Amino acid sequence: MNARLALLSTVDPGVAESEVFRLALQHAVGELGALGGTIHLRGPMSALRLVSSTGLPPALTRSWEIIDQEGPLAQARAVHQGRGVWVPRKPRPADASNTEVIWPGTGLAALPLFGGDRSIGALTVLTGDQGEPTPQQWDFLRALITWTEERMSQAPPPSTPSRRELSGDRDRLRQDLKEVRVGSWDWDIQGGELLWDEAAMELYGFRPEDYTARVENWMVCVHPDDLAPTLDAVDRAIREHGVFEAEYRVRRLDGTYGWTQARARATYHENGEPHRMVGLGWESNESRSARDALSRALRHMSDGFLAVDDEWRITFANLEAERTLGFSEEELFGRLLWDMPAAREVPGLESRCRAAAAEERSVGFDVRMEDTGRRYHLRLVPGPDGRTLYFTDVTEKRQHEEERRASERAAGRRAARMGELTTALSKATTSQDVVDAVALRVLPPFAAAGLLVQAVEGDRLYNVGAVGYPEDFLSTVNSRPRASGDPSWETITSGTPLFLSSVQEFTARAPRLTDSPDRTGMQSWAFLPLTASGHTFGVCVVAFDSPRRLDDEERTLLTTISALVAQALERARLYDAEHTRSRELQSSLLPRALPDLPACTAAARYLPAGQGMDVGGDWYDIIPLSGGRVALVVGDVMGHGLPEAATMGRLRTAVHTLADLELPPDEIMSHLNDLVAGMGEESYVTCLYAIYDSTTQICSIARAGHPPPAVVHPDGTVHFPPLEADPPLGAAEPPFETVELMVPEGSLLVLYTDGLVESSKREMEEGMADLARLLHEAHQAEPGTDTDLESLCDTLTAGLLPAEHATTDDAALLVARLHALTGDRIASWPLPEDPRAAGQARRHVREQLSLWGLDDLTPTTELLASELVGNVIRHAGGPLRLRLLHGAELICEVFDGSLTMPRIRRATDTDEGGRGLQLVTALSQRWGTRYTATGKCIWTEQALLTPESRQEPPSDALDLMFLNADEFTGDLDSLLLADEDR
């Protein structure tokens, strides 16, 4: 189709004739490259009236305003012959006057316009240098004429004056009513003479001096849009011997257009030829014309319209009302509205309408016709002479509205879910958080049944998280190698989504995975690439348990969601990696296992903060000390992160070092305070350090800003010792207070950090009360000292930190059952401050070890006791005391009143002394010294010998003491002390 014709075909039917003429001329001139164009319409008798022109100045068109349709011009020839004509321009005559208008161009191409079976006008084009139109151009012009005729037939009739025009202001209306004048006219149909009286001349906008008494005068004054339908009405009245009635606009003397109405009837010769038409004309300012126009509009309006009187009898019904009610207007007229079958089908219609009429108010509501299922909106408007009812078929409209509301609700829900998803993803810190957020907020809106998120590592796909899939299937697809024909790998490689709406599509795409649908129960899939920073690192598979073809909106939404998920998952994977390294570091800094000590049995727990929190600095420790003593430590570095974890590791190492020096709790806390203070202004640590002496059952405790321990006595009573609350390490000023408690055998000492008992929803005092309650209930459930400590730790952590409640702080818990060393396993003797003390010490050793059945350790222990006592006699002072402890090891202790600590040195072959402490090192498992309240203690530990481990003392130990050990066969008591430097 020609592009211009295609463009014209988009013009809506019902445009005004003047617009139709303008478009037709513009495209005709444009297609032919012509200079301009005109449209003439046929008037009464032999006149063609110019109604539209384009591209031509008024000086040229003035002579063509009225054309004799019987003349030689191209327009007249086209109308007369009923076909297109070409009239070339004639050369200018030599005798032509200078004032005569000479047309430019090469000629005129004219085609007739038809209305029904007769020609009604002509379209003419003034051609340029190209001359006569080509055959293709003639074809275009004919098609253009067809379009023009079709649009003319669809053009609306001239609209009647608006109510505003009819009313005007009140004074003018009153004046008009007094001065209404009706003009008369007499038209000679055969001769074309048109006689107007004075009123008609004024009505049609002519001065007497300009009036030529020709019908062309009337055609010139009629508005172009109204001319065609008015001429048609004249022609029809003449042909049908009827009455000519028309309402049209005419040009007034001031150049404006006003509405007029005309009425006339023709007379005829005996042979039936029309002779004259005599008629009247007047300004169309009567309300009847407006009512008639309104009636016509109501008659043909698309909505149903009924008018009823005060008794609800129908006085008017338009075509749509007739169709809906199933009766013609004649059948409806005068009938009671409520007697109509359609009205009886609507429950409550009469009562609602009568109630609205009684209140003199308009009302509108929807009704449903039972027989057709159609829905109508009914509006009742009361008036002075009755009521009017409008009803509109709103079935499709209401369906569309419901669909739109449903769509809006769905879109709103999706938008809300997207907002929730975005919020959840912004808070998600781990990969599992991301998967949970997607499962919770993406699967329900799309009615999806499964979710599988996988990430690429190397050339394999590993599961990140899944929902709705069986475990055996997940284990199969985990660590899946790269392979062709795999939708997941195909999505990752291409970086574009893949949507498979049925099992058939899946098997056609992945023939090697045909068993997957049966194993999972899924029947359609959306494979979405996970791309972040331009790199596709995984795939998110949303699966459905029924065949489903997603529409474009759903696919776009899922693709958008996958981009959000990819960003969150990439961030979560980085967090997971860092968090794993942090946890590994922290785990390596905590005790791998608690030591098995005679003084206590213990169990511990470390609980990291909830997801999204960095590692913390909480720690616990049990450190074995000499003399049947043990140190129990718990601490908390304030803050979270790798620096805090590293600080915790440094402090734990420092505590071990200080504990090896056998310092009392307050001195250890002072050293730790100096260490923390040197780390920076923002480093603060809470700590509790306790030493339990199994020989005295006394527990010495010092704390710095830390919660007090809980002590559970064998009878089940729980109390928190009243300890002085010193500030945290780094902010405290020594000295620290040490509190000593007498702890019965089998008691529990419970150490913990604040994360166990304190949170944003629970004060510390409340948490400590809950801890005491749980400890008491656990003792009642399992009385005595047989409570399993591991189970007790689980009970405490579950009760204080439920798994479903995320915590913001890590927590450490250490539960120790304290054991006393009974008196029958402790032996102590005072010794004189002279050389005889060594011999007495050896005698006490022999006798006591014999009582304990440890004879195999007697020689070694005699040597150690003799060396230690001799060292005190030579280098220290009294009071002197020997003590033996029979626990998991044999401990030999020598107490004196001196604060001078011995130190080991290496003696050469020629030195006569310096071998005493080397001898002690060689003969004992370990040895050391510690300060006491009255001096110091030197101690040694020896492992208890089993039958399999019994062996002779090492020969090098004797070589250290005797220059010729092979020749020695006497009793130790018969020898002098050998080491001269002791």
Side-chain angles (χ1 to χ4, degrees):
M1 177 184 288
N2 181 282
R4 294 182 182 276
L5 295 176
L7 182 62
L8 289 173
S9 67
T10 63
V11 177
D12 292 331
V15 299
E17 281 187 346
S18 59
E19 182 68 9
V20 174
F21 297 157
R22 183 185 67 82
L23 291 172
L25 286 176
Q26 286 183 351
H27 286 280
V29 171
E31 181 70 17
L32 272 64
L35 301 179
T38 63
I39 290 181
H40 287 75
L41 290 182
R42 192 173 184 178
M45 297 303 296
S46 59
L48 287 175
R49 160 77 190 282
L50 176 66
V51 295
S52 183
S53 67
T54 185
L56 302 176
L60 295 180
T61 60
R62 190 172 297 116
S63 62
W64 278 1
E65 286 188 353
I66 301 294
I67 295 176
D68 184 359
Q69 67 185 28
E70 301 295 334
L73 295 180
Q75 297 91 330
R77 293 169 61 180
V79 171
H80 181 67
Q81 298 176 15
R83 60 180 177 83
V85 298
W86 161 253
V87 178
R89 184 175 69 86
K90 296 180 181 180
R92 176 178 179 140
D95 57 349
S97 65
N98 293 331
T99 59
E100 186 175 347
V101 177
I102 303 300
W103 285 85
T106 56
L108 296 173
L111 290 93
L113 288 167
F114 285 87
D117 56 353
R118 62 189 295 270
S119 60
I120 60 172
L123 182 148
T124 308
V125 177
L126 179 61
T127 59
D129 296 337
Q130 77 277 10
E132 183 179 0
T134 65
Q136 293 80 8
Q137 291 174 333
W138 279 115
D139 290 340
F140 170 79
L141 291 175
R142 294 187 188 96
L144 182 64
I145 290 295
T146 302
W147 177 85
T148 305
E149 293 168 348
E150 179 183 353
R151 288 300 189 272
M152 287 178 65
S153 66
Q154 297 169 346
S159 57
T160 56
S162 66
R163 186 168 298 274
R164 180 179 300 174
E165 292 173 332
L166 291 174
S167 62
D169 60 73
R170 184 173 300 175
D171 294 339
R172 180 178 175 182
L173 178 60
R174 290 174 178 173
Q175 185 67 24
D176 289 344
L177 290 174
K178 293 178 181 178
E179 300 179 0
V180 168
R181 298 181 65 188
V182 179
S184 62
W185 45 269
D186 186 346
W187 173 35
D188 182 355
I189 298 177
Q190 297 295 332
E193 183 182 30
L194 178 62
L195 300 178
W196 283 341
D197 63 10
E198 182 181 349
M201 198 172 301
E202 182 180 351
L203 176 67
Y204 296 119
F206 269 86
R207 296 182 180 89
E209 59 270 21
D210 298 329
Y211 179 59
T212 60
R214 300 294 299 173
V215 72
E216 287 80 1
N217 293 129
W218 173 80
M219 293 175 63
V220 169
C221 73
V222 178
H223 192 285
D225 284 351
D226 300 343
L227 181 60
T230 305
L231 292 176
D232 183 67
V234 172
D235 183 67
R236 185 170 58 254
I238 294 173
R239 285 188 288 110
E240 297 178 358
H241 293 227
V243 177
F244 163 66
E245 283 187 292
E247 194 167 12
Y248 50 89
R249 288 164 292 182
V250 297
R251 187 174 56 205
R252 297 192 178 100
L253 287 174
D254 59 2
T256 62
Y257 283 91
W259 286 93
T260 64
Q261 193 168 359
R263 183 180 179 86
R265 181 180 291 275
T267 62
Y268 300 86
H269 292 292
E270 294 180 356
N271 59 4
E273 289 293 324
H275 174 49
R276 310 186 69 83
M277 178 175 279
V278 179
L280 302 174
W282 63 91
E283 284 193 58
S284 183
N285 58 1
E286 295 182 359
S287 60
R288 181 185 58 80
S289 64
R291 287 199 301 270
D292 291 345
L294 178 60
S295 178
R296 289 195 299 272
L298 291 175
R299 180 68 178 164
H300 296 279
M301 67 187 295
S302 59
D303 294 343
F305 178 80
L306 283 175
V308 297
D309 59 17
D310 291 337
E311 296 180 356
W312 299 94
R313 297 187 179 277
I314 299 173
T315 59
F316 177 85
N318 69 353
L319 294 176
E320 179 63 19
E322 295 176 15
R323 185 190 64 80
T324 303
L325 298 177
F327 296 93
S328 65
E329 185 178 15
E330 291 77 10
E331 294 172 323
L332 291 173
F333 187 80
R335 295 189 61 177
L336 192 63
L337 175 62
W338 317 122
D339 292 340
M340 305 306 299
R344 291 197 299 267
E345 291 181 5
V346 182
L349 176 63
E350 181 178 358
S351 59
R352 296 174 71 176
C353 290
R354 288 186 181 278
E359 297 177 7
E360 292 296 322
R361 61 180 177 86
S362 300
V363 65
F365 50 87
D366 282 6
V367 297
R368 185 177 183 275
M369 307 301 290
E370 295 296 334
D371 57 342
T372 61
R374 308 292 295 179
R375 295 180 64 181
Y376 292 86
H377 181 74
L378 178 66
R379 180 166 180 81
L380 173 68
V381 180
D385 300 325
R387 291 98 184 167
T388 55
L389 292 94
Y390 304 84
F391 52 92
T392 306
D393 190 335
V394 294
T395 306
E396 286 74 16
K397 181 179 179 181
R398 294 292 184 261
Q399 289 176 350
H400 294 159
E401 289 176 351
E402 184 60 33
E403 292 172 358
R404 178 177 54 80
R405 286 193 293 269
S407 177
E408 290 175 352
R409 288 194 296 268
R413 288 193 296 268
R414 284 197 297 269
R417 296 241 180 212
M418 281 290 291
E420 294 173 359
L421 176 63
T422 303
T423 302
L425 291 178
S426 66
K427 296 179 180 178
T429 53
T430 66
S431 299
Q432 190 58 47
D433 290 341
V434 175
V435 174
D436 292 342
V438 176
L440 180 61
R441 293 172 175 84
V442 175
L443 298 190
F446 288 91
L451 173 70
L452 174 61
V453 180
Q454 293 185 301
V456 178
E457 294 184 16
D459 277 339
R460 291 182 175 272
L461 270 178
Y462 290 89
N463 295 345
V464 176
V467 173
Y469 285 93
E471 289 297 330
D472 60 337
F473 174 77
L474 293 177
S475 61
T476 302
V477 298
N478 194 29
S479 185
R480 184 168 46 181
R482 186 184 297 270
S484 60
D486 187 324
S488 294
W489 278 112
E490 183 178 340
T491 300
I492 294 172
T493 303
S494 65
T496 57
L498 175 62
F499 300 95
L500 303 177
S501 58
S502 65
V503 175
Q504 292 74 20
E505 290 186 17
F506 182 88
T507 54
R509 198 92 181 195
R512 296 193 305 168
L513 303 175
T514 54
D515 61 332
S516 294
D518 293 334
R519 296 177 60 187
T520 61
M522 303 303 174
Q523 298 187 45
S524 54
W525 300 261
F527 293 86
L528 309 171
L530 298 176
T531 304
S533 303
H535 169 64
T536 301
F537 63 88
V539 62
C540 175
V541 184
V542 178
F544 306 86
D545 55 9
S546 61
R548 177 170 180 179
R549 185 172 299 277
L550 300 170
D551 58 32
D552 292 341
E553 181 183 356
E554 291 173 323
R555 295 187 178 194
T556 302
L557 186 58
L558 282 175
T559 303
T560 304
I561 289 174
S562 70
L564 296 175
V565 173
Q567 296 292 336
L569 191 59
E570 181 74 358
R571 186 173 60 249
R573 293 175 71 204
L574 294 175
Y575 172 83
D576 288 342
E578 180 181 354
H579 199 62
T580 300
R581 289 193 295 269
S582 301
R583 289 284 170 85
E584 290 174 352
L585 171 62
Q586 186 183 48
S587 179
S588 66
L589 296 175
L590 290 172
R592 295 185 180 276
L594 296 177
D596 186 12
L597 303 175
C600 70
T601 53
R605 293 288 185 274
Y606 172 77
L607 292 89
Q611 290 187 354
M613 300 300 297
D614 286 330
V615 295
D618 291 18
W619 89 93
Y620 58 87
D621 220 333
I622 292 182
I623 305 171
L625 303 177
S626 62
R629 298 176 309 132
V630 62
L632 299 98
V633 191
V634 66
D636 182 5
V637 180
M638 295 184 183
H640 294 85
L642 286 177
E644 285 72 17
T647 299
M648 178 266 286
R650 294 173 60 188
L651 290 176
R652 182 167 176 259
T653 302
V655 170
H656 269 269
T657 302
L658 295 172
D660 286 343
L661 296 178
E662 302 277 5
L663 298 177
D666 58 334
E667 292 189 30
I668 286 182
M669 298 298 279
S670 296
H671 286 296
L672 291 176
N673 183 67
D674 294 339
L675 178 62
V676 174
M679 293 180 180
E681 296 181 357
E682 307 207 356
S683 295
Y684 296 102
V685 179
T686 66
C687 184
L688 186 146
Y689 187 92
I691 295 178
Y692 171 67
D693 190 340
S694 62
T695 63
T696 62
Q697 301 184 36
I698 292 177
C699 186
S700 302
I701 304 174
R703 67 169 181 155
H706 204 84
V711 179
V712 184
H713 288 280
D715 61 358
T717 58
V718 182
H719 78 284
F720 297 92
L723 305 179
E724 197 67 33
D726 289 317
L729 299 176
E733 294 185 3
F736 290 85
E737 181 185 8
T738 300
V739 175
E740 294 186 345
L741 305 175
M742 190 68 183
V743 183
E745 160 69 25
S747 298
L748 295 180
L749 186 65
V750 182
L751 309 183
Y752 52 91
T753 58
D754 59 351
L756 186 72
V757 295
E758 186 180 32
S759 67
S760 59
K761 299 180 180 179
R762 181 175 59 192
E763 296 294 334
M764 182 175 291
E765 290 74 12
E766 182 183 354
M768 292 170 61
D770 292 339
L771 173 61
R773 175 181 54 79
L774 292 171
L775 289 170
H776 182 69
E777 291 175 355
H779 184 274
Q780 286 183 325
E782 197 171 348
T785 59
D786 297 331
T787 304
D788 180 68
L789 298 185
E790 295 291 340
S791 299
L792 179 59
C793 286
D794 293 337
T795 300
L796 296 178
T797 55
L800 295 171
L801 300 175
E804 62 272 14
H805 294 166
T807 58
T808 59
D809 194 9
D810 52 346
L813 171 66
L814 177 62
V815 180
R817 177 173 288 113
L818 306 180
H819 304 294
L821 192 62
T822 58
D824 59 340
R825 289 178 172 266
I826 304 174
S828 179
W829 305 271
L831 297 176
E833 299 181 36
D834 57 49
R836 294 176 302 167
Q840 292 182 19
R842 289 192 292 274
R843 185 174 66 251
H844 291 319
V845 168
R846 284 194 302 272
E847 293 173 352
Q848 188 61 47
L849 294 187
S850 178
L851 290 175
W852 285 342
L854 302 176
D855 296 310
D856 291 339
L857 295 177
T858 299
T860 304
T861 309
E862 284 187 64
L863 280 173
L864 292 173
S866 179
E867 175 59 32
L868 296 179
V869 172
N871 204 28
V872 171
I873 294 298
R874 187 170 182 84
H875 300 288
L880 185 62
R881 185 163 60 92
L882 171 68
R883 187 170 76 165
L884 295 177
L885 303 178
H886 181 195
E889 300 87 9
L890 178 61
I891 300 174
C892 177
E893 298 177 324
V894 176
F895 298 85
D896 63 52
S898 172
L899 297 178
T900 303
M901 291 293 182
R903 62 185 182 86
I904 190 170
R905 66 186 180 87
R906 182 166 295 281
T908 64
D909 292 343
T910 58
D911 289 341
E912 296 182 358
R915 296 181 178 83
L917 293 181
Q918 294 184 38
L919 176 66
V920 172
T921 302
L923 292 177
S924 63
Q925 181 173 298
R926 67 184 186 123
W927 72 277
T929 61
R930 68 175 182 270
Y931 289 106
T932 65
T934 58
K936 70 173 180 296
C937 171
I938 306 175
W939 54 270
T940 65
E941 279 188 10
Q942 300 174 77
L944 299 181
L945 298 178
T946 61
E948 294 78 10
S949 63
R950 290 176 181 174
Q951 59 183 10
E952 296 296 328
S955 60
D956 57 346
L958 294 177
D959 290 339
L960 290 172
M961 188 170 184
F962 304 107
L963 295 179
N964 192 357
D966 294 337
E967 299 177 355
F968 172 69
T969 58
D971 193 332
L972 281 174
D973 288 335
S974 65
L975 297 177
L976 296 174
L977 296 175
D979 196 344
E980 297 297 337
D981 67 340
R982 290 176 294 178

